[in-house]
Amino acid sequence: MKRLAILGATGSIGASTLDVVARHPERFEVVAITGNQRADILFQQCLRHRPRYAVIGEPAQAKALQEKLRAAGVATEVLAGASALEMVASLPEVDTVMAAIVGAAGLAPTLAAVCAGKRVLLANKEALVMGGALFMAEVRKHRAILLPIDSEHNAVFQSLPPDYASDPTRAGIQHIWLTASGGPFRTTPRERLQRVSPEEACAHPNWSMGRKISVDSATLMNKGLEVIEAHWLFNLPAQAIRVVVHPQSVVHALVQYVDGSVLAQLSNPDMRTPIAHALAWPERIEAGVTALDLPTLASLEFSEPDYARFPCLSLAYQALEAGGSAPAILNAANEIAVAAFLERRLPFLAIHDVIAETLGALVGRPVKHLADVMAVDAEARSIAQAAVERRRC
Ligand code: NAD
Ligand code: MG
């Protein structure tokens, strides 16, 4: 029996995780779930999964939810705020933590799970982008098990030899390919991109996801964040991590070996596949996902990304090469710019400009502690906010 804490349970990954968990009640027990604001969803999830703890953003919301649950005869204890997230992520009775909070808010609780030596299922890529060196050092120090949920990284993980982590040099990897669907604007001309709306940006052709990652997919910054994520997860240099556009989202990643072999993982685009893989690893369990029917796939296409129309991807490679605090600056500026775009305060193409300006305004420095990362994050956010104001639409 695995005992789970699901950080970000009310989101898209959280809901898919609970869906897989509910298919295997003999294997999984939900000890804690968290959500920032959606008390209605959290209430329903408590009714269904009866966790010991639920965490919500504000104390007032916690009080109301606690009363509602008590009236419904549910014994879940409701807590509030960031410290409660860290507490449930490191509970002794929890062995597995799904890290599915979006953005920088996920870093501290995910790191708390790592420092408690948990098995950490990592969806929250921003945590690794912001504090990769520090994060991986804590994974090693506390012997946490880190399993990737991001479909591309989960696919790479599945296509690597099982002993890869113990000696990466023996594996003979030339490079890996992360596939990108190209997002909703794959074929949209640049002139038109100036005027696209949040609704258009969030209408992803293949995946149903939260709004922030949907915009990241539309700018291709998502793939950029994933390049940085892959660097830390698989200990590969930037030039060994390549991106290929694959509109069908069936091949999730490929590993090119020195002998000419290429190993890949294929599945229908449904996050329950990587979630089930990581939940049960090294076993396999049913995920509720429709099997891939090869004869009905008309074609699988691959092409180079268009770096001119999607310059955010280049910014991410640059930040990775620069190292130190640069990826944290990139991430913070991106979060500010994407939030402004979603609130219709910033045009789509200006997302890139805000990030580039913020990266240019700050001198990179080494980041050794969580406090260093959070300081860089705060500084980059205020510069990015000012850059947004100047471009306000
Ligand atoms: P989402 O917006 O649907 O859900 C986000 C979750 O985080 C919610 O539960 C929300 O309440 C919580 N949250 C947001 N802000 C918070 C805060 N300040 N404090 C505490 N909790 C907070 O997002 P999602 O699509 O489920 O993505 C979650 C993470 O997984 C992201 O890092 C994303 O990049 C990654 N990811 C998602 C997918 C996908 O298919 N959705 C695929 C790969 C990776
Ligand atoms: Mg992905």
Side-chain angles (χ1 to χ4, degrees):
M1 180 69 93
K2 291 203 176 79
R3 294 173 214 287
L4 307 177
I6 303 174
L7 310 177
T10 56
S12 163
I13 293 288
S16 295
T17 304
L18 287 169
D19 180 277
V20 176
V21 163
R23 291 165 192 275
H24 304 279
E26 73 297 349
R27 281 179 178 265
F28 304 110
E29 182 191 328
V30 181
V31 178
I33 57 176
T34 85
N36 198 35
Q37 279 173 341
R38 300 293 307 272
D40 51 338
I41 300 182
L42 212 49
F43 175 70
Q44 292 301 332
Q45 292 180 339
C46 287
L47 280 187
R48 170 79 181 76
H49 297 278
R50 308 269 162 164
R52 175 138 179 238
Y53 299 100
V55 181
I56 195 159
E58 298 297 328
Q61 295 170 300
K63 191 164 175 280
L65 179 61
Q66 184 72 79
E67 279 163 18
K68 205 169 155 192
L69 283 168
R70 219 171 267 143
V74 179
T76 302
E77 185 179 338
V78 186
L79 308 167
S83 57
L85 293 175
E86 292 181 40
M87 191 281 268
V88 297
S90 47
L91 281 170
E93 63 264 45
V94 162
D95 48 60
T96 304
V97 176
M98 166 57 81
I101 291 175
V102 62
L107 175 58
T110 306
L111 208 51
V114 166
C115 292
K118 306 296 186 200
R119 176 179 168 121
V120 179
L121 280 42
L122 186 76
N124 179 212
K125 65 192 86 184
E126 296 91 345
L128 211 44
V129 170
M130 292 172 74
L134 159 83
F135 194 100
M136 295 311 290
E138 298 293 355
V139 167
R140 286 186 293 273
K141 182 170 162 194
H142 300 282
R143 297 176 192 275
I145 298 173
L146 193 57
L147 295 168
I149 292 297
D150 218 342
S151 55
E152 299 76 5
H153 306 71
N154 185 270
V156 170
F157 182 82
Q158 294 197 44
S159 307
L160 289 172
D163 62 352
Y164 176 73
S166 57
D167 189 359
T169 52
R170 266 187 46 209
I173 292 168
Q174 207 163 53
H175 57 258
I176 61 172
W177 294 100
L178 305 179
T179 61
S181 69
F185 306 137
R186 183 172 55 88
T187 57
T188 308
R190 193 177 156 84
E191 314 78 72
R192 170 82 187 87
L193 287 179
Q194 191 57 32
R195 299 184 310 277
V196 293
S197 68
E199 291 71 28
E200 289 172 286
C202 289
H204 197 280
N206 306 339
W207 301 95
S208 158
M209 309 182 286
R211 278 160 69 78
K212 191 261 179 182
I213 184 177
S214 295
V215 177
D216 286 347
S217 299
T219 60
L220 255 62
M221 179 54 95
N222 181 48
K223 216 46 54 179
L225 299 175
E226 290 183 0
V227 167
I228 301 173
E229 182 186 13
H231 164 75
W232 293 114
L233 284 175
F234 307 118
N235 199 10
L236 292 168
Q239 62 275 16
I241 306 166
R242 299 174 69 174
V243 172
V244 62
V245 174
H246 166 49
Q248 291 78 21
S249 299
V250 165
V251 181
H252 300 294
L254 311 93
V255 180
Q256 170 84 57
Y257 289 90
V258 286
D259 62 3
S261 300
V262 177
L263 298 192
Q265 185 263 356
L266 286 73
S267 59
N268 276 319
D270 187 322
M271 287 307 293
R272 290 176 300 176
T273 294
I275 290 168
H277 172 265
L279 276 172
W281 182 83
E283 295 177 52
R284 297 258 181 190
I285 54 171
E286 199 272 327
V289 176
T290 316
L292 198 58
D293 185 32
L294 286 177
T296 61
L297 290 175
S299 64
L300 296 177
E301 300 159 85
F302 300 93
S303 61
E304 279 291 336
D306 183 343
Y307 288 88
R309 267 188 315 131
F310 300 104
C312 285
L313 186 51
S314 308
L315 284 182
Y317 271 105
Q318 285 160 23
L320 176 55
E321 294 282 7
S325 56
I329 298 168
L330 173 97
N331 180 69
N334 182 54
E335 287 192 26
I336 293 294
V338 169
F341 168 71
L342 283 170
E343 290 162 14
R344 298 174 209 279
R345 291 187 284 118
L346 191 73
F348 183 76
L349 289 177
I351 294 175
H352 162 270
D353 304 343
V354 167
I355 303 165
E357 187 178 321
T358 310
L359 275 169
L362 284 168
V363 182
R365 55 181 194 245
V367 277
K368 292 210 168 56
H369 307 285
L370 180 59
D372 302 336
V373 181
M374 297 323 287
V376 168
D377 179 75
E379 199 178 357
R381 276 168 198 270
S382 81
I383 290 175
Q385 204 63 264
V388 165
E389 289 308 319
R390 280 197 299 282
R391 291 177 175 79
R392 218 183 158 100
C393 56

